[in-house]
């Protein structure tokens, strides 16, 4: 059995999906409760509802399996949470260590005007960097960075960005070591952890990610403490912007990949309600209607997320506001509306379950790999793809996925814009079947919300 929970500051909704496709929902108001206590109350109600459902089925069909949770034959195996409503960049300042051959000519070239994230940041310029082919442009000024951070207050958060780090990240890593040794930081992030050919996009993403970490760390701690008591044997996951999920522990390291996950989860939930795994879906939710597409059971994605502060280097479900895509609507599936919200579009039918929570419960464990490599011929490309696919498969299996359930759904080589023709980006996406593989994906009998 799989459980999905949507967590916001005012409401929590939980959905369980059984292996036979039956599902149930509980929803509570957070009110003045702290998130941990509200989460504990919701899980208690959800587990109780699942037990009653299983007991009722057993009474109706003698000889059937027993309770679904806590002593029954079908245990809750996964708990996936969507916490994107709680992830907003905080005004806490982040120090940027920017590694380049030379500092900007003047203050205007720091690109701080109009960049809300960078306007709060302190930028430290350090000599260094590599070319697109990985050749060192300027030796890294390690002594200069040591002098700069010698007198900084401990506990700061840092984002390290370097020219050419996608090919050779050694200068970023060396800068991180110096910060860890001399600055006593709360966290250190690196731009090469984020996939983008744009230096500015990677830097912006690293800064936003660093500002999200304090809240993310607190959330992970509180949710794990509650879940370990209520569901000690369940694997814990968090939804991601691409409509998938990853282990909850990653939220405290790269929260930026979960900050816009709610709509992607709604799309997955809508696909479950409609019983499809391929096609376009128009979804009407509390934040308006939008159009998305499912391909082979997963959401179609775009390379970057468009945020209020600019592009963010995170894979995100490709969702288009419905008015802008009205011409596509006749070929779309019916609109799905959340409970309590009326869709002002003809032929809409309401869902009797929280779409975001259902999508979380039905999301597939997802892994990406991004590498920028230098190639000379077709054989180099083939070897790079084989190595990348093996890497994502191994990661998913290491996270508990069955090897037979792992699928590589996207494997490609992409030319880098305005770069050396021999430099290409290898991008591979793989998923491990979630609730959908054992019955939840196709929908099934549902139960009305309670509470």
């Amino acid at each position: 059995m799989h459980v999905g929970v949507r967590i916001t500051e005012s409401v929590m909704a939980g959905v369980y999906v059984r292996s036979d496709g039956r599902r149930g929902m509980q929803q509570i108001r957070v009110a003045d409760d702290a998130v941990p206590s509200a989460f504990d109350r919701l899980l208690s109600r959800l587990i109780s509802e699942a037990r009653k459902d299983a007991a009722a089925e057993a009474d109706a069909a003698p000889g059937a399996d027993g309770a679904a949770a806590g002593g029954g034959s079908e245990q809750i195996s996964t708990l996936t949470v969507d916490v994107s409503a709680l992830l907003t960049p905080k005004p806490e300042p982040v120090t940027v260590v920017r590694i380049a051959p030379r500092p900007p000519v003047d203050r205007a070239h720091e690109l701080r005007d109009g960049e809300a994230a960078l306007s709060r940041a302190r930028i430290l310029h350090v000599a260094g960097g590599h070319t697109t082919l990985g050749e060192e442009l300027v030796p890294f000024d390690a002594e200069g960075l040591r002098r700069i951070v010698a007198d900084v207050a401990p506990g700061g958060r840092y984002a390290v960005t370097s020219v050419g780090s996608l090919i050779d990240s050694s200068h970023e890593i060396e800068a991180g070591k110096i910060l860890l040794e001399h600055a006593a930081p709360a966290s250190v992030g690196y731009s090469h952890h984020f996939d983008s050919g744009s230096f500015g996009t990677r830097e912006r993403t690293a800064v936003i990610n660093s500002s999200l970490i304090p809240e993310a760390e607190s959330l992970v701690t509180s949710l794990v403490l509650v879940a370990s008591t209520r569901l000690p044997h369940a694997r814990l996951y968090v939804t991601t912007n691409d409509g998938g999920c990853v282990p909850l522990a990653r939220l405290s390291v790269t929260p930026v990949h979960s900050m816009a996950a709610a709509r992607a989860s709604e799309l997955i939930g809508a696909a479950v309600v409609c019983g499809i795994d391929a096609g376009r879906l128009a979804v009407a939710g509390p934040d308006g209607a939008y159009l998305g597409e499912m391909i082979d059971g997963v959401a179609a994605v775009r390379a970057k997320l468009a945020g209020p502060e600019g592009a963010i280097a995170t894979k995100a479900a490709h969702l288009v506001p419905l008015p802008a895509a009205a011409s596509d609507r006749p070929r779309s599936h019916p609109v799905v509306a959340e409970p309590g919200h009326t869709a002002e579009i003809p032929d809409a039918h309401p869902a009797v379950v929280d779409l975001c929570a259902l999508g979380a419960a039905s999301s597939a464990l997802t892994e990406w790999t991004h590498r920028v490599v230098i190639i000379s011929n077709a054989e180099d490309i083939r070897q790079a793809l084989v190595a990348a696919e093996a890497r994502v498969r191994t990661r998913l299996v290491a996270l508990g996925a069955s090897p037979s359930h792992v699928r590589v759904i996207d494997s490609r080589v992409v030319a880098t814009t305005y770069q050396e023709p021999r430099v290409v980006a290898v991008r591979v996406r793989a998923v491990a079947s979630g609730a959908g593989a054992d019955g939840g994906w196709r929908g099934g009998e549902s139960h009305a919300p309670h509470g």
Side-chain angles (χ1 to χ4, degrees):
M1 185 187 306
H2 306 271
V3 169
V5 177
R6 173 173 63 94
I7 301 176
T8 71
E9 292 181 348
S10 58
V11 175
M12 286 191 189
V15 172
Y16 66 82
V17 180
R18 293 176 45 177
S19 59
D20 60 3
R22 289 172 60 91
R23 57 180 181 260
M25 172 182 163
Q26 285 289 329
Q27 181 170 301
I28 64 172
R29 294 191 177 278
V30 176
D32 296 329
D33 292 0
V35 168
S37 58
F39 184 56
D40 182 66
R41 186 157 51 97
L42 176 68
L43 287 184
S44 176
R45 290 190 180 187
L46 200 62
I47 294 171
S48 177
E49 177 67 18
R51 286 173 174 167
K52 291 178 182 178
D53 180 24
E57 183 183 22
D59 291 341
D65 290 340
S73 61
E74 185 178 358
Q75 300 292 330
I76 293 176
S77 58
T78 67
L79 169 61
T80 306
V81 296
D82 186 295
V83 295
S84 53
L86 304 181
L87 295 176
T88 54
K90 298 297 187 291
E92 180 180 358
V94 176
T95 299
V96 176
V97 177
R98 186 180 290 175
I99 303 171
R102 61 171 177 77
V105 175
D106 52 45
R107 189 176 181 83
H109 285 79
E110 286 191 345
L111 301 177
R112 296 179 66 169
D113 294 338
E115 293 273 2
L118 287 180
S119 67
R120 300 188 294 267
R122 174 193 180 197
I123 300 178
L124 305 178
H125 296 283
V126 181
H130 292 81
T131 68
T132 305
L133 294 175
E135 300 166 349
E136 191 174 66
L137 285 168
V138 174
F140 176 63
D141 186 10
E143 289 302 320
L145 180 58
R146 290 190 182 95
R147 287 194 300 271
I148 292 174
V149 301
D151 299 323
V152 299
R157 299 191 180 275
Y158 295 84
V160 184
T161 61
S162 175
V163 171
S165 61
L166 287 181
I167 285 287
D168 191 324
S169 58
S170 59
H171 286 180
E172 284 193 1
I173 294 173
E174 189 172 354
K177 291 179 179 178
I178 292 173
L179 293 172
L180 291 170
E181 291 174 358
H182 300 280
S187 66
V188 178
Y190 304 92
S191 75
H192 70 269
H193 287 170
F194 304 102
D195 175 48
S196 174
S198 167
F199 179 94
T201 299
R202 296 198 312 275
E203 182 175 80
R204 182 186 305 112
T205 307
V207 170
I208 293 175
N209 187 74
S210 292
S211 68
L212 292 171
I213 285 178
E215 182 67 28
E217 290 176 333
S218 175
L219 276 172
V220 169
T221 301
S222 58
L223 296 180
V224 167
L225 288 174
V226 173
S228 62
T229 301
R230 292 289 181 183
L231 301 170
H233 304 297
R235 293 181 180 271
L236 307 181
Y237 300 108
V238 64
T239 57
T240 47
N241 305 332
D242 57 7
C245 65
V246 296
L248 181 60
R250 288 194 187 178
L251 181 66
S252 61
V253 180
T254 51
V256 70
H257 293 317
S258 294
M259 67 179 293
R263 280 196 163 188
S265 297
E266 284 179 356
L267 179 66
I268 302 299
V272 173
V273 169
C274 292
I276 67 165
D277 60 7
R280 279 175 292 183
L281 282 159
V283 184
D287 299 325
Y290 57 89
L291 191 70
E293 184 173 7
M294 299 295 296
I295 302 174
D296 196 18
V298 297
V301 299
R302 63 197 329 171
K304 295 178 179 60
L305 175 69
E309 299 183 354
I312 302 174
T314 176
K315 296 291 186 292
H318 191 179
L319 306 176
V320 181
L322 196 59
S327 61
D328 290 336
R329 205 188 153 315
R331 297 187 297 276
S332 303
H333 290 275
V335 172
V336 179
E338 286 193 325
H341 299 279
T342 301
E344 300 179 351
I345 303 169
D347 302 324
H349 62 275
V352 293
V353 68
D354 186 277
L355 293 182
C356 183
L358 176 59
S362 306
S363 60
L365 186 61
T366 303
E367 188 69 47
W368 290 85
T369 187
H370 314 280
R371 295 188 65 198
V372 177
V373 299
I374 300 173
I375 53 97
S376 299
N377 50 49
E379 179 61 20
D380 289 347
I381 295 177
R382 188 192 68 81
Q383 290 182 3
L385 288 174
V386 169
E389 290 179 12
R391 185 177 296 108
V392 293
R393 288 180 182 275
T394 301
R395 287 177 181 171
L396 288 175
V397 172
L399 294 175
S402 170
S404 62
H405 290 169
V406 175
R407 295 183 295 141
V408 174
I409 58 175
D410 189 9
S411 180
R412 67 182 66 189
V413 169
V414 182
T416 50
T417 307
Y418 305 121
Q419 300 289 352
E420 292 280 348
R422 291 185 293 155
V423 179
V424 297
V426 177
R427 298 174 183 172
V428 176
R429 178 190 188 190
V431 300
S433 302
D438 52 22
W441 184 256
R442 296 294 178 181
E445 183 178 352
S446 60
H447 298 255
H450 298 269

